[in-house]
Amino acid sequence: MEHDHDDEDSDHDSGHGHKHHEEMFKRKFFISTLLSIPVLYFSTFVSGLLGYTPPTFTGSNLIVPVFSIIIFAYGGLPFLKMAKSEFEDRQPGMMMLISLAITVAFVYSMAALVLPTESSFFWELVTLIDIMLLGHWIEMRSVRQASGALDELAQLMPDTTERINEDGTVEEVKVSELEEGDKVLVRPGASIPADGVVVEGESDVNESMITGESKPVSKEPGDEVIGGTVNKEGSLRVEITATGDETALSGIMKMVEEAQESKSKTQLLADKAAGWLFYIALGSGAITAVAWMIAVGFNVTVIERVVTVLVIACPHALGLAIPLVVAINTSMAAKNGILVRDRIAMEESRKLDTIMFDKTGTLTKGEMGVVEIETDGIEEDEALTLLASVESDSEHIIAEAIRNSAEERNLSIHDADNFEAIKGKGVKADVKGETLYVGGPNLAKSEGFKISDKLNQFAEDAAENAETAIYLFRDGEAVAAVGLADVIREESREAIEKLHDRGIEVAMLTGDSEEVAEAVAKELNIDTYFAEVLPEDKDKKVQELQDQDKKVAMVGDGVNDAPALTRADVGIAIGSGTDVAVESADIILVQNNPLDVVKLLNLSDLSYSKMKQNLFWATGYNAFAIPLAAGVAAPIGIILSPAVGAVVMSLSTVIVAINAQLMKRKAV
């Protein structure tokens, strides 16, 4: 449960606020712990336990109470402030339980200075405050997360653009000054400033950050373009059709914001346990008071019994039970290439029954590659060498894929002369004294080249698998063909298989065509796929599955995935994806490996198991200590003194700490 902080604990829900609170609790922990040393050293209980006699001098009897007052005011005050919101909400939790314990310990210990009793809780008071500050510092560090998704989206838009005036001159203006109907010049490599229509020029535009489509999209006069996308080689003149809040990117930003706001708040297990213990402590204290007053009348012994019950009802261990597991779990996750931005998402991951992957850049590499080769009278390596040589001067995405494939095989590319791009059909060049052509069926038809039945069949099979077939032509006939497609990651198959073994349904989202989606789904044995999905529909597809009472995680890497990432019960971003996807997610997979999703689920199971075990040890201590502190065993001569209660409390803390550390031995 999140706690409201006053004064120096304000703006708690912001990324800056989390960092501020982390530093504040860290500072208070170290200063309070330092100030606790004199209290512990001069404490009668500690000196008696360790067998030493602290020095006495004028004022030495004031060291323990004075330092305890300072620690209570400095380190304990934040808990009292945070308890105020729990009190106002009528939802007692950890803060009210801590506040009850430290307030009772403080008031009684101050009264004990003048009451006829030798017991006081000063050393218990300061150690309780110290450990609770430590637990809260660990907690703040583990939950701190940035909330910059909307800022990252906004940064896709350029600040300035080149507007074309009526006289044909070009001037640089702020994008915010653009109006509908304005014409702008978009040079190669520049971002398109707003939604519009191409009025002049031809080029490819990279829309993957918006649509998820891996291939750059060819644009010519009459085609629509989206603000925030990136122009490739050619220059475009674009007429603006939408600006500001009306653009597609602004629509996505709005959905991200709505999805973030729609996330429900989950209360931590420790808060629930603390709420129960608060009422148990009050009830036990009341019963203790009544029982002892009936037995011996009202005296100092009754007060001591009640105070002992109320103080030890707040075990140190409960304050560390969850934060320690979270901290160790977060560290283990990081070592396995998993960054946890939201601890609640890590806890909720164990409940997932559906994992939805974005295809491009997640299950696939998000780039075109040669996935198969067929030859007719030529060796594969020679064919690929010649293909790459012809394409050596081309900037087309297919040429880049062929060259990359040749590099992966360590093939040496030959020099090419007289390179020529045949518009819309292919390219040609002279390699080692012969003219070679590279292109598709249109090139063969226009040039009258022959294609054998063998290579024709290869092209048909490639089309069925959503691949693009490209031929190498020599002496008027095709001698080789390659199938190009978005390359599937090797890890994707194993990841999906392991998810199925866990009984988890696997779904896939993509902006690609039905044919491409079907081919990938069939190849990876995916249960459900959604093709040709627009950004706003990705968000809706997640909602559709959630409406079927499914617990859904979304795994993606593009801006178009951001709304779906935030809408999902758990948003998982591929670390090499765009910054906005990372900022919108609860979990980040640094290694860009789908198998890490399985590791995430294993870690979630492990941490939840350890949390339950730690809560058992922390609260089990109370089941044992509270009745003894209340005096149920007094008739047989057993009474739990405040000092012994403190020792038992410390033992439960040690057990919780060791149990949390044992997590590190588990493999994920």
Side-chain angles (χ1 to χ4, degrees):
M1 182 167 79
E2 298 293 346
H3 309 287
D4 294 329
H5 298 232
D6 298 323
D7 301 329
E8 60 181 327
D9 300 315
S10 60
D11 79 332
H12 183 233
D13 291 327
S14 68
H16 171 75
H18 278 295
K19 177 65 174 176
H20 170 69
H21 301 316
E22 179 189 339
E23 292 299 325
M24 186 268 288
F25 280 109
K26 177 182 177 181
R27 181 176 65 253
K28 285 184 178 291
F29 164 69
F30 281 113
I31 293 176
S32 296
T33 301
L34 188 64
L35 294 175
S36 296
I37 295 174
V39 177
L40 296 175
Y41 181 74
F42 283 93
S43 166
T44 303
F45 171 75
V46 176
S47 60
L49 185 67
L50 299 180
Y52 68 88
T53 302
T56 57
F57 48 85
T58 304
S60 62
N61 61 317
L62 296 177
I63 289 178
V64 171
V66 168
F67 275 83
S68 296
I69 291 171
I70 295 171
I71 294 168
F72 179 77
Y74 178 72
L77 201 58
F79 297 111
L80 298 178
K81 289 180 178 180
M82 290 185 286
K84 180 183 175 184
S85 64
E86 291 184 354
F87 178 77
E88 291 172 347
D89 294 338
R90 296 182 180 178
Q91 290 185 334
M94 182 65 77
M95 296 305 107
M96 283 187 67
L97 189 58
I98 295 172
S99 297
L100 174 67
I102 64 176
T103 301
V104 169
F106 177 74
V107 172
Y108 174 77
S109 297
M110 295 301 296
L113 295 175
V114 295
L115 289 175
T117 176
E118 296 181 358
S119 299
S120 73
F121 285 95
F122 282 125
W123 84 271
E124 181 63 10
L125 168 69
V126 298
T127 54
L128 181 57
I129 290 174
D130 293 342
I131 291 184
M132 290 306 166
L133 286 171
L134 173 62
H136 224 64
W137 169 34
I138 294 172
E139 186 179 6
M140 284 293 116
R141 185 175 61 179
S142 67
V143 304
R144 173 169 45 96
Q145 64 181 65
S147 56
L150 299 180
D151 292 336
E152 295 291 343
L153 277 168
Q155 287 175 12
L156 287 176
M157 299 296 289
D159 295 325
T160 61
T161 188
E162 295 181 275
R163 184 170 60 190
I164 303 173
N165 298 319
E166 291 185 2
D167 60 2
T169 59
V170 176
E171 64 172 336
E172 186 172 335
V173 298
K174 292 182 178 179
V175 171
S176 58
E177 296 177 11
L178 289 178
E179 298 178 358
E180 188 175 335
D182 283 350
K183 291 184 177 64
V184 296
L185 172 64
V186 185
R187 299 183 187 274
S191 295
I192 295 170
D195 294 359
V197 176
V198 177
V199 292
E200 185 179 335
E202 294 181 2
S203 183
D204 288 340
V205 174
N206 182 2
E207 297 183 343
S208 62
M209 68 287 293
I210 301 294
T211 65
E213 172 62 57
S214 51
K215 292 182 183 178
V217 182
S218 297
K219 301 293 182 180
E220 56 187 30
D223 290 340
E224 295 182 350
V225 290
I226 304 171
T229 56
V230 181
N231 184 28
K232 298 283 277 185
E233 299 92 2
S235 292
L236 295 175
R237 283 169 169 74
V238 176
E239 182 176 333
I240 302 303
T241 58
T243 60
D245 294 339
E246 302 301 317
T247 63
L249 189 60
S250 293
I252 293 176
M253 291 173 68
K254 183 179 179 182
M255 282 185 293
V256 171
E257 189 170 23
E258 288 175 351
Q260 285 176 333
E261 290 174 355
S262 75
K263 276 185 143 345
S264 61
K265 290 185 178 180
T266 304
Q267 197 175 33
L268 288 176
L269 288 170
D271 285 303
K272 293 180 181 179
W276 299 332
L277 284 174
F278 177 79
Y279 289 117
I280 291 172
L282 290 181
S284 300
I287 293 171
T288 301
V290 172
W292 277 86
M293 280 192 291
I294 292 173
V296 301
F298 182 75
N299 55 31
V300 173
T301 302
V302 175
I303 297 175
E304 183 177 293
R305 285 296 98 211
V306 173
V307 170
T308 302
V309 168
L310 293 178
V311 171
I312 70 172
C314 179
H316 296 54
L318 189 59
L320 291 176
I322 300 301
L324 270 179
V325 173
V326 169
I328 294 172
N329 180 48
T330 303
S331 174
M332 289 179 66
K335 290 178 181 178
N336 283 277
I338 303 168
L339 299 184
V340 180
R341 297 184 63 245
D342 187 341
R343 61 177 173 181
I344 295 175
M346 171 60 86
E347 293 170 23
E348 292 295 296
S349 295
R350 67 186 177 82
K351 302 177 183 177
L352 295 170
D353 53 35
T354 305
I355 307 288
M356 179 178 283
F357 289 92
D358 173 60
K359 180 189 77 71
T360 305
T362 305
L363 292 175
T364 66
K365 293 183 178 180
E367 58 188 37
M368 291 285 284
V370 175
V371 294
E372 53 182 336
I373 303 175
E374 184 65 84
T375 60
D376 193 358
I378 187 175
E379 293 293 325
E380 276 193 13
D381 283 355
E382 183 185 356
L384 194 55
T385 298
L386 294 176
L387 280 163
S389 300
V390 174
E391 296 278 18
S392 59
D393 288 337
S394 174
E395 296 299 323
H396 197 278
I397 187 171
I398 287 177
E400 187 177 351
I402 291 173
R403 290 197 301 270
N404 289 341
S405 183
E407 288 177 12
E408 288 172 6
R409 295 196 182 197
N410 296 317
L411 301 177
S412 298
I413 299 176
H414 306 306
D415 292 332
D417 299 316
N418 302 319
F419 174 83
E420 179 183 340
I422 305 170
K423 188 172 178 59
K425 298 173 184 175
V427 297
K428 72 172 184 176
D430 293 339
V431 178
K432 297 181 70 174
E434 61 178 338
T435 302
L436 302 175
Y437 291 76
V438 176
N442 288 339
L443 178 63
K445 186 176 180 181
S446 66
E447 299 292 333
F449 295 151
K450 295 179 181 179
I451 302 176
S452 66
D453 292 341
K454 179 181 180 181
L455 295 183
N456 257 327
Q457 185 61 51
F458 171 85
E460 290 176 10
D461 293 342
E464 289 181 6
N465 292 326
E467 298 170 11
T468 300
I470 298 295
Y471 299 101
L472 170 65
F473 297 101
R474 170 194 270 173
D475 297 329
E477 61 181 357
V479 294
V482 292
L484 297 109
D486 190 359
V487 182
I488 294 175
R489 297 184 187 280
E490 287 300 319
E491 305 89 352
S492 296
R493 293 178 177 82
E494 187 179 353
I496 291 171
E497 184 179 331
K498 288 187 174 181
L499 289 173
H500 282 155
D501 290 343
R502 291 180 65 104
I504 292 177
E505 180 182 338
V506 180
M508 182 181 74
L509 277 176
T510 180
D512 285 347
S513 67
E514 177 76 21
E515 292 78 10
V516 171
E518 183 180 7
V520 174
K522 184 178 179 181
E523 176 76 15
L524 293 176
N525 192 27
I526 288 171
D527 303 300
T528 307
Y529 69 87
F530 303 96
E532 301 176 8
V533 183
L534 299 175
E536 58 269 24
D537 291 330
K538 288 193 174 186
D539 181 37
K540 293 174 184 175
K541 295 302 181 185
V542 172
Q543 189 71 56
E544 280 180 24
L545 293 178
Q546 289 174 327
D547 290 342
Q548 298 172 25
D549 293 327
K550 293 182 177 179
K551 198 82 171 175
V552 183
M554 173 67 192
V555 186
D557 76 330
V559 172
N560 63 302
D561 300 323
L565 285 170
T566 48
R567 180 74 67 186
D569 296 285
V570 177
I572 305 171
I574 294 293
S576 66
T578 60
D579 289 343
V580 66
V582 171
E583 294 294 340
S584 302
D586 305 309
I587 311 288
I588 298 107
L589 307 183
V590 179
Q591 303 300 327
N592 207 349
N593 186 346
L595 273 171
D596 287 343
V597 174
V598 180
K599 289 185 177 181
L600 167 65
L601 302 183
N602 293 340
L603 275 170
S604 181
D605 288 341
L606 176 62
S607 63
Y608 183 72
S609 173
K610 285 297 180 183
M611 285 180 187
K612 287 198 300 183
Q613 292 170 21
N614 273 3
L615 288 176
F616 169 79
W617 285 111
T619 56
Y621 149 84
N622 289 80
F624 166 77
I626 289 178
L628 289 180
V632 295
I636 59 173
I638 299 176
I639 296 179
L640 185 66
S641 69
V644 175
V647 172
V648 176
M649 181 185 289
S650 300
L651 287 176
S652 69
T653 305
V654 172
I655 291 172
V656 163
I658 292 174
N659 189 48
Q661 292 293 330
L662 291 176
M663 284 180 64
K664 296 179 179 179
R665 296 188 177 185
K666 299 285 186 179
V668 294

